[in-house]
Amino acid sequence: MKNSIAERVADFLNRYPPFNMINTSDLLKIASEVNIIYLEKGDTVFNQGDHFNDHFYMVRDGAITLHYTLNGLEKNLNMNDVGDIFGVRPLIAKESYKLTATANEESIVYAVPIATFQSVADNNAKVYKYLITAFATNAYDPFTSEENAEVFVDYIPTTSNDMVNFQTAEYTKNPVTCKENTTIRDAAIKMSTLKIGCIIVTDKNKNPVGIITNSDIKNKIGTGKFPIETVVTDIMSAPVITSKPDITVADGQLQMIKNGIGHLCITKDGTTNSKAIGVLTHHDVLVSLGNNPAVILKEIKRANRTKKLRTARLKANTLLKSYLEQNIPISHIVKIMAQINDAVTYKAVEIAVSKMPTEPPVSFAWLALGSQGRREQLLFTDQDNALIFEDVSEENYDTTKSYFLELAKRVSERLNKIGFEYCEADMMASNPEWCKSASEWRDQFKNWILKPDEKAVLLSSIFFDYSYIYGNETLVDTLTETIFTTIDKTSLFFKFLGRDAIKSPSPVGFFKKFVVEQNGEQKDLFNIKSRALMPLIDSARLLVLINKIKGINNTAERYEKMAELEPENKALYNSCAYAFKALSKFKAKQGILHKNSGKFIVLETLTKEEKLKLRRCFKPINEIQETLKYKFDL
Amino acid sequence: MLNWFKNNKKEYPDFWLDYLNHFKSKKRTDIKTTRFVAFDTETTGFNKKEDRILSIGAVSIIGKTIKVNQSLEIYIEQDIFKPETVKIHGILKHGSLEKISELEAIKLFLAYIKDSDLVAHHAGFDKNMINEMLLRNNLGKLKNKFIDTGHLYNKSKHIIYRDNLKEHYSLDDLCEELNVAKTDRHTATGDALITAVIFLKILSRLDKRKNLEWDYLLK
C-alpha cells in the first residue's frame, strides 16, 4: 500500500545528515518505521538515567534542549534545532541516557527505530562517521569528555570526498611485548626506555593475552593497590580488543569509542588467537585524519614562515565549513576557531619580532580587538588590533614608539598575507593612535569613560572588547583595573552605551516583515550584523561593564554569566545567548555560501524554516532592549 | 422470542459484525492512552448523494505519538468522475495509483478504525460521505464518536476572544494559527496527518487550563 506520509518523512530526512548519505529506497524503509511525536513545551523525550530507547531522534519542528543535572546543578549542554539529531547514545553504546532531552518550545520530533536504521546503515562508513561525531559533540563537555577519551571530540569528518576514513589505518608495527611472567617493574622500565604508552602481554605463541597502558600503571601501581613486583598478568586489561591489519581509520575509531579504549591490538587474523603484529592508538587515528584542530594548532606552532601560517589558517576554514555542515554546536566551533586565530596572531607577532633588527627596547603587549577580541570571529574578517608598550622616559619615547610602529606594521602585513584584511577604519596597531604607552592608554580609556561622546561610544564597541594575545600580560591587566575603577566614578558612560545598544530598532517590522536596507548597494538586503548581532553584542558589553565582570569577552558567555548573576532574568539571558549563537552560525553559513563576510542576507534565498529560525532569534533582542531602556531610563 | 428479532435483522457480512463487536466491550480509558484516528476523505464533490469518495487517508494517535507504519491510505475505483475537481485532489480517473473497490475500501477502513474515536476537520461532511457509502453497500452507519477539529479549536480559545472567532475555520486557517506545515495539503493522507497534528496541538492547549475530561472533549 502506498504510504505518502512515509514519503514525506523520507523527503525531510533526506535534507539532513546522516540520512542524506543513505540511498532513497533504504531511506523510505527507515521513514516508514518512524514515529512522529508531538511535544508540548517542557515535555521530555528521555531523561537522564533512563534505560535506552529503541529509537534515536531528529527535530522536525521546534527545538529540543539537552541538559543534565550534576550535584543538584542543572546544566544546559546543547540546543537542537530543526534537522538536528539527538539521543544517539544507544546506537553506539548500550547504556542509559546521560542527558535529558526537553522540548524548549512546542515541537515535533521523529523517532527513528535503531534496528531498522542499523539494518540499512550498518555497512555505511560515512553514516557511522557522522553519528560518532554527533555523539561526541553532544557529549562535548568536561562532564563526559573524560569517559569518551577526549580526543574524539575534535575529530570531525570532512566532506564525502575525503577518503581518509576508508584508508587503512597506519598503525605502529612490531609492537613492544612482554611475557606473562614479567614483573611490572621490568615492563615499566621497558616502556620508559622505549618511550611508549602501552605494552602487550603475549603468551608463548606470541598471541596477545592482555595489555598494560600508562594509566594502568598510574591507577593500579601508583596508587599502591598492587606492589611493583606484581606480575603483569595481575593488572593487565584482558582480553585485548583486537582487529585485523586492514582496519580502516573510521573502523578503528568506532572500535575505540564502542569499547572506551585508546589502544587497539592488531593481530594477524584479527582475533586474540593469532600473533600480535601492531598497535593502533588514538594518536595514530588523529594523525591520519589530519584535518582536526589539534593537528592544525601543532602546525601553527611549528610554522616558521608566514606562508606556512597561511596554509594552516586556510585549513581551519575547511574545518569550519565541515563543522557547520555537520551541525556541531556553535559554542564549540567558536572556541576552536578563536584558539586557532589567537595562535596564528601570536605566531605572526613572534615571527615579526624575531625578524626585527634589534630586540624590543621595553616589554609590550599585542591586543586583539572587536570580534577577535570577543573570540567570536569565525570567518576571516578585518584585523582590529592595538599595541601597549611599557612606559619609558620622555627622551626615549620617540624612538620606542617608532620601533613598535615598525613592528606593528610588519605584523599587520603578515596578518594580511595570511588572509586578514586591513581594517578600513585603520584600527590597527600600525596607526600611531592605537600604538601607545601604558599610561597613554590609561588616559585614553579614562577620557572615553568620563567624557563620553558619539566618537567614544563608537570606538568603545571595538576597544572595550580587547583580549591579550602576545607579550607582557601585566600591561593589559593594569589597563583593565584602571577601566573598572574609572567606571565607578560615572554613570553617564553607561547611559551613552545603553542608548547605543538600543539604537538599532527591532529587526522585524510591524507586519512581521524583515527590516531591510532602504538604499545603496545593499538595498533590500537584510543586514544581520547591524540589525541582529550588534544589538546583542552591545547590550552584553554594557551588562558586563556594569557588573564588573572581567575576563569574559565572548558575547554568548557574557549572557550566560549574567544568567548566573541574575537568576530572576535567567530565561532572558539564556535566550540572548542562544540567539547570539544561532545568528553567528547563520552568518557564518551565509558567508561560506556566498564567499563573503555573510553580513548581508538575501532574504529570498532563505527557506521558510530558516526565516522562522531567524525570527525566533529576534524576540530576545527586543526583550533585552526593553530591559535596558527600563534599567537606564532611556 | 429471539428468533423473531433475528429474522428481521438483515444478514450482515462478517466484517461488519466484527466491527460492531468492538463496541460491545468499549470502555472509556485515560485520554492519554486512548487511540484516536484522524482521517480525511477526498471526494468528487460536496453532494452526499451524488458524489463519491475517491480516497481515504487516516493516521492513528496514541498518547502524543503517530506511527508512520500504522497509517491508512486507500484509493477507490468510482464510476462517477468529475474532471473539474481533479485540480484540488489530483486523483485521475485512470492514474497510476492502485485503486480498490468501495467494498474493499470499507473493509479496510472499518478494520482500521475499530471502535476508536474519529477526528476530522469539518467531521460532519466526512461522516456523511462515509455513511452514504456504507448505505450503498447495505451496511449500517458508523458507530464511532466524532471529534471536529474546527469545533474543538473554537473551544480552545479563551472566552474573551470568542467574539473574534470566525464561524468557519478552514484547515488552512488552522495551519496558519497553529503553525503547522501544509505538506501534501489536499491529499487525504496529507490532510489526515495535518488534522492529527492540529488535534494534538489543540488538546495541549485545552489541557493547560483544566484536566481534560471526556465529556468536554466529545461534547
Side-chain angles (χ1 to χ4, degrees):
Chain A
M1 194 167 61
K2 187 173 156 64
N3 189 339
S4 308
I5 296 177
E7 287 167 21
R8 290 301 90 82
V9 170
D11 288 346
F12 178 80
L13 294 178
N14 194 28
R15 280 155 54 193
Y16 300 95
F19 299 102
N20 55 7
M21 306 163 192
I22 295 173
N23 70 50
T24 322
S25 65
D26 284 346
L27 194 56
L28 194 61
K29 216 185 284 174
I30 296 173
S32 47
E33 299 298 321
V34 158
N35 290 349
I36 303 170
I37 302 173
Y38 166 78
L39 299 157
E40 286 171 57
K41 182 179 178 173
D43 279 356
T44 60
V45 184
F46 50 78
N47 289 291
Q48 186 178 354
D50 280 359
H51 186 263
F52 60 88
N53 293 342
D54 302 329
H55 296 88
F56 69 96
Y57 304 89
M58 179 179 256
V59 183
R60 173 64 182 84
D61 278 314
I64 305 290
T65 319
L66 294 181
H67 54 104
Y68 64 86
T69 324
L70 183 65
N71 304 329
L73 280 176
E74 190 66 27
K75 261 203 89 168
N76 276 354
L77 200 56
N78 192 11
M79 175 92 87
N80 289 288
D81 268 316
V82 173
D84 290 347
I85 59 168
F86 63 97
V88 292
R89 183 173 287 270
L91 263 175
I92 286 155
K94 296 278 177 214
E95 54 191 30
S96 324
Y97 290 107
K98 295 246 152 77
L99 304 167
T100 300
T102 306
N104 184 59
E105 55 195 63
E106 192 176 49
S107 303
I108 292 174
V109 303
Y110 286 163
V112 182
I114 288 170
T116 319
F117 179 79
Q118 277 175 335
S119 73
V120 304
D122 228 12
N123 293 315
N124 192 329
K126 265 194 287 178
V127 170
Y128 260 97
K129 205 171 65 159
Y130 177 77
L131 289 171
I132 290 170
T133 319
F135 174 67
T137 45
N138 263 340
Y140 178 72
D141 193 83
F143 170 68
T144 40
S145 60
E146 237 172 295
E147 58 189 291
N148 290 330
E150 59 271 61
V151 288
F152 288 116
V153 300
D154 283 340
Y155 161 53
I156 303 303
T158 45
T159 57
S160 46
N161 315 333
D162 181 3
M163 290 307 288
V164 149
N165 296 280
F166 307 106
Q167 287 168 8
T168 311
E170 284 290 325
Y171 53 86
T172 313
K173 292 177 180 86
N174 303 320
V176 178
T177 59
C178 65
K179 291 192 181 122
E180 289 163 284
N181 58 4
T182 318
T183 63
I184 300 293
R185 183 199 300 276
D186 290 341
I189 288 170
K190 205 167 181 181
M191 286 166 74
S192 130
T193 18
L194 295 169
K195 296 203 179 76
I196 49 165
C198 77
I199 191 163
I200 292 174
V201 184
T202 53
D203 62 15
K204 53 186 187 308
N205 301 321
K206 302 243 168 122
N207 296 348
V209 294
I211 186 167
I212 291 175
T213 64
N214 279 344
S215 62
D216 288 322
I217 295 178
K218 178 181 77 190
N219 297 332
K220 294 170 186 166
I221 307 299
T223 54
K225 269 187 203 155
F226 290 91
I228 195 151
E229 299 300 340
T230 312
V231 288
V232 285
T233 43
D234 284 347
I235 74 156
M236 69 186 184
S237 306
V240 194
I241 310 293
T242 53
S243 178
K244 281 187 196 171
D246 61 354
I247 187 168
T248 62
V249 176
D251 273 343
Q253 187 157 38
L254 189 61
Q255 286 290 330
M256 288 182 196
I257 285 196
K258 264 187 175 165
N259 297 301
I261 54 170
H263 301 81
L264 267 182
C265 179
I266 310 294
T267 63
K268 234 174 173 174
D269 71 354
T271 72
T272 48
N273 301 320
S274 65
K275 198 182 155 199
I277 55 169
V279 174
L280 180 69
T281 65
H282 18 78
H283 181 74
D284 296 333
V285 170
L286 275 187
V287 170
S288 0
L289 292 168
N291 199 1
N292 77 71
V295 174
I296 293 177
L297 279 170
K298 217 176 249 172
E299 211 175 311
I300 292 171
K301 273 180 198 143
R302 274 201 302 252
N304 48 9
R305 298 185 48 204
T306 311
K307 214 174 134 191
K308 286 186 181 162
L309 277 177
R310 182 184 159 81
T311 325
R313 181 59 183 79
L314 281 175
K315 274 192 192 163
N317 264 16
T318 321
L319 179 73
L320 170 67
K321 197 172 160 223
S322 71
Y323 273 133
L324 290 168
E325 275 169 6
Q326 311 280 347
N327 283 325
I328 307 296
I330 192 85
S331 46
H332 182 55
I333 305 179
V334 164
K335 265 181 208 150
I336 285 168
M337 293 307 288
Q339 231 180 332
I340 290 174
N341 283 331
D342 285 0
V344 168
T345 317
Y346 181 95
K347 199 70 202 184
V349 180
E350 196 181 71
I351 296 174
V353 170
S354 73
K355 298 268 166 78
M356 287 293 279
T358 55
E359 294 273 303
V362 285
S363 76
F364 72 100
W366 185 270
L367 299 181
L369 309 173
S371 62
Q372 197 194 345
R374 284 191 301 274
R375 301 219 146 80
E376 41 198 45
Q377 191 177 54
L378 285 174
L379 300 162
F380 279 128
T381 51
D382 295 359
Q383 36 171 309
D384 294 325
N385 44 51
L387 190 149
I388 313 177
F389 56 85
E390 214 180 309
D391 282 326
V392 289
S393 61
E394 220 170 294
E395 65 266 29
N396 287 331
Y397 179 83
D398 284 345
T399 49
T400 312
K401 179 146 181 165
S402 50
Y403 177 92
F404 284 113
L405 276 174
E406 175 59 27
L407 173 68
K409 206 180 108 206
R410 293 182 181 198
V411 175
S412 240
E413 280 167 9
R414 289 203 156 73
L415 289 174
N416 185 51
K417 250 190 222 162
I418 292 166
F420 298 94
E421 290 293 323
Y422 290 120
C423 172
E424 272 177 47
D426 203 14
M427 294 200 197
M428 297 187 289
S430 51
N431 178 346
E433 276 219 59
W434 315 128
C435 176
K436 293 181 199 226
S437 72
S439 56
E440 283 176 315
W441 271 117
R442 287 198 292 273
D443 292 342
Q444 175 70 74
F445 272 92
K446 275 187 203 159
N447 204 18
W448 280 333
I449 295 166
L450 298 173
K451 296 175 196 146
D453 56 16
E454 289 290 317
K455 192 181 161 215
V457 168
L458 192 73
L459 290 172
S460 75
S461 70
I462 306 206
F463 281 90
F464 278 78
D465 295 330
Y466 57 79
S467 70
Y468 158 82
I469 299 286
Y470 182 96
N472 181 357
E473 200 170 358
T474 28
L475 292 173
V476 186
D477 293 342
T478 326
L479 180 62
T480 309
E481 283 304 320
T482 314
I483 290 174
F484 280 97
T485 34
T486 317
I487 273 174
D488 262 349
K489 296 180 192 152
T490 175
S491 60
L492 189 62
F493 182 59
F494 292 140
K495 211 155 182 162
F496 265 85
L497 286 185
R499 213 177 288 159
D500 192 55
I502 61 165
K503 72 164 190 279
S504 276
S506 160
V508 276
F510 189 68
F511 294 106
K512 282 195 164 180
K513 283 246 162 53
F514 288 89
V515 175
V516 293
E517 300 307 299
Q518 292 303 318
N519 37 40
E521 215 179 299
Q522 275 80 34
K523 193 172 184 309
D524 294 333
L525 298 181
F526 179 71
N527 185 335
I528 193 173
K529 192 179 173 199
S530 71
R531 297 275 176 199
L533 287 165
M534 284 321 286
L536 283 171
I537 293 170
D538 289 339
S539 308
R541 182 186 311 112
L542 175 57
L543 287 165
V544 294
L545 283 174
I546 293 172
N547 290 285
K548 300 216 172 105
I549 301 165
K550 288 173 210 168
I552 300 181
N553 275 6
N554 180 282
T555 301
E557 284 174 19
R558 282 174 168 173
Y559 282 118
E560 277 154 13
K561 183 74 192 176
M562 285 307 297
E564 231 172 80
L565 291 179
E566 288 177 18
E568 66 276 17
N569 291 324
K570 195 176 161 195
L572 170 63
Y573 291 136
N574 279 337
S575 65
C576 286
Y578 173 67
F580 183 79
K581 286 185 211 170
L583 289 166
S584 323
K585 185 167 167 183
F586 209 88
K587 177 169 173 266
K589 272 189 177 171
Q590 288 282 320
I592 284 179
L593 192 67
H594 303 295
K595 298 205 166 40
N596 58 21
S597 68
K599 206 158 122 182
F600 290 99
I601 289 175
V602 189
L603 288 170
E604 292 84 67
T605 61
L606 301 185
T607 61
K608 191 182 171 209
E609 222 169 273
E610 287 173 314
K611 281 189 195 162
L612 272 176
K613 223 178 200 180
L614 263 183
R615 282 222 182 90
R616 192 166 63 207
C617 295
F618 296 157
K619 219 176 128 219
I621 301 180
N622 281 333
E623 285 172 9
I624 194 80
Q625 287 185 333
E626 287 304 314
T627 313
L628 291 182
K629 266 186 209 165
Y630 174 74
K631 257 192 182 158
F632 296 99
D633 193 19
L634 295 165
Chain B
M1 188 186 79
L2 273 172
N3 276 344
W4 172 83
F5 189 72
K6 242 184 189 166
N7 288 338
N8 267 299
K9 205 172 165 185
K10 275 197 237 171
E11 282 298 318
Y12 283 123
D14 285 348
F15 74 85
W16 178 257
L17 297 174
D18 286 346
Y19 165 68
L20 292 182
N21 254 330
H22 289 300
F23 289 89
K24 286 187 180 149
S25 53
K26 186 167 172 77
K27 277 193 204 107
R28 283 277 163 225
T29 47
D30 190 352
I31 292 180
K32 288 188 179 67
T33 55
T34 300
R35 178 178 188 254
F36 293 92
V37 170
F39 81 104
D40 184 61
T41 59
E42 291 299 321
T43 62
T44 57
F46 296 111
N47 185 316
K48 69 172 179 178
K49 292 288 175 200
E50 271 176 29
D51 285 307
R52 294 290 181 269
I53 296 177
L54 292 172
S55 147
I56 306 175
V59 298
S60 57
I61 307 159
I62 298 174
K64 291 177 179 176
T65 303
I66 300 161
K67 292 190 170 170
V68 175
N69 63 2
Q70 282 164 35
S71 54
L72 181 77
E73 180 165 348
I74 41 190
Y75 298 91
I76 307 172
E77 190 74 58
Q78 298 288 10
D79 292 333
I80 293 176
F81 182 73
K82 292 189 179 170
E84 67 271 21
T85 58
V86 170
K87 62 178 184 293
I88 297 173
H89 50 67
I91 302 168
L92 300 171
K93 188 162 170 63
H94 303 288
S96 58
L97 290 166
E98 195 189 319
K99 291 178 184 166
I100 54 175
S101 69
E102 252 192 13
L103 190 66
E104 280 306 309
I106 291 171
K107 279 186 200 170
L108 285 174
F109 183 66
L110 294 178
Y112 182 78
I113 62 170
K114 301 190 182 74
D115 61 350
S116 297
D117 299 297
L118 301 181
V119 182
H121 194 69
H122 299 144
F125 172 72
D126 299 288
K127 186 181 184 178
N128 284 337
M129 289 305 290
I130 301 248
N131 278 338
E132 254 338 288
M133 180 167 75
L134 293 172
L135 197 68
R136 273 198 298 280
N137 289 276
N138 301 316
L139 301 162
K141 288 184 175 179
L142 286 176
K143 301 282 177 280
N144 307 63
K145 292 275 185 196
F146 271 82
I147 296 170
D148 181 88
T149 40
H151 178 59
L152 201 62
Y153 179 70
N154 273 334
K155 285 207 285 189
S156 76
K157 289 301 233 187
H158 193 275
I159 191 102
I160 59 168
Y161 299 116
R162 295 259 170 96
D163 291 347
N164 302 332
L165 289 178
K166 291 195 208 173
E167 197 128 305
H168 177 97
Y169 277 95
S170 71
L171 200 55
D172 287 321
D173 289 338
L174 289 193
C175 284
E176 292 287 341
E177 292 276 335
L178 296 167
N179 195 17
V180 175
K182 288 186 229 173
T183 316
D184 281 346
R185 186 76 181 84
H186 297 298
T187 66
T189 322
D191 283 355
L193 182 62
I194 290 171
T195 307
V197 173
I198 284 175
F199 174 65
L200 286 171
K201 289 199 170 194
I202 301 175
L203 270 195
S204 81
R205 281 161 177 73
L206 284 170
D207 208 18
K208 246 166 225 151
R209 258 175 273 137
K210 62 182 90 53
N211 253 338
L212 197 56
E213 298 285 348
W214 277 106
D215 291 353
Y216 184 81
L217 189 61
L218 296 175
K219 197 162 59 184

